[in-house]
Amino acid sequence: MSDEQQQACYTFEAAIEMAVEMEEEGFRNYLNAIRIVKNKAAKLILKDAALDELEHKHQLEKALVEGCVEGHALEKPVPTMNLGYLLEKKELGPNANGREALAYAIHLEKGSLDFYRRMVQGCAGAPMAALFENIANDETRHLQSLEDIYEEHFLTEM
């Protein structure tokens, strides 16, 4: 997304469509990873993350159908450890383990969070800004959950 696109506010439909497309892409990334990875723990991590993407996509599509925003997500962001800055970002292969799947999911969730934060800034004062803020806050919850699992199982090994 260019700097110009980040600063611009879109029509309600255009903004929601962009978010639906972003969630669909995230879902497809998780789905492809699920198909590649053989490790059961890694598959479970990726499946849960894929289902979260579908939940957001459904919420956004409902807003398109209704023509308005009904937010019921978190009102405030959840603090995260920003592990994405410490973990290497790489594609998953067939032999990826739980640690690699978590790092992959953390990077995808961080990308989603960054997208929604840019949309909140670009659409400040518009009706969809509240929806984007709610979803961004929910993304922090997903990110924190993934980071907590990573910390519990792998952070002591770093």
Side-chain angles (χ1 to χ4, degrees):
M1 188 178 284
S2 72
D3 288 341
E4 206 173 274
Q5 286 177 310
Q6 290 179 17
Q7 298 304 319
C9 185
Y10 303 90
T11 65
F12 178 81
E13 280 195 15
I16 299 296
E17 288 285 0
M18 283 178 59
V20 166
E21 190 176 304
M22 195 271 314
E23 292 292 346
E24 176 67 22
E25 184 179 326
F27 171 76
R28 292 290 163 193
N29 285 329
Y30 284 123
L31 190 59
N32 289 335
I34 290 165
R35 290 175 177 153
I36 292 169
V37 171
K38 294 178 180 157
N39 180 282
K40 285 183 182 181
K43 277 188 182 285
L44 284 173
I45 290 162
L46 296 168
K47 283 180 182 180
D48 284 345
L51 292 173
D52 286 338
E53 299 298 303
L54 285 178
E55 187 178 314
H56 285 158
K57 184 177 173 227
H58 175 74
Q59 185 181 4
L60 290 161
E61 289 171 334
K62 185 174 180 190
L64 273 177
V65 170
E66 300 291 333
C68 65
V69 175
E70 292 180 17
H72 61 280
L74 298 177
E75 290 182 21
K76 294 185 179 188
V78 174
T80 64
M81 293 182 273
N82 292 319
L83 285 182
Y85 294 108
L86 297 174
L87 304 174
E88 181 183 356
K89 183 178 182 179
K90 63 180 187 176
E91 292 299 314
L92 295 179
N95 297 321
N97 58 28
R99 179 185 204 145
E100 293 164 322
L102 277 168
Y104 180 80
I106 286 168
H107 281 286
L108 285 179
E109 290 301 320
K110 177 74 171 90
S112 294
L113 177 58
D114 292 345
F115 169 84
Y116 284 114
R117 285 182 172 161
R118 285 190 307 271
M119 293 300 282
V120 167
Q121 289 175 346
C123 296
M128 61 280 207
L131 173 64
F132 293 146
E133 187 167 4
N134 283 341
I135 295 175
N137 293 345
D138 203 36
E139 293 290 358
T140 64
R141 183 181 57 81
H142 298 164
L143 188 55
Q144 181 192 52
S145 175
L146 292 168
E147 288 180 339
D148 286 349
I149 294 167
Y150 194 94
E151 180 183 34
E152 179 183 340
H153 294 283
F154 304 112
L155 204 53
T156 56
E157 296 177 16
M158 289 183 87

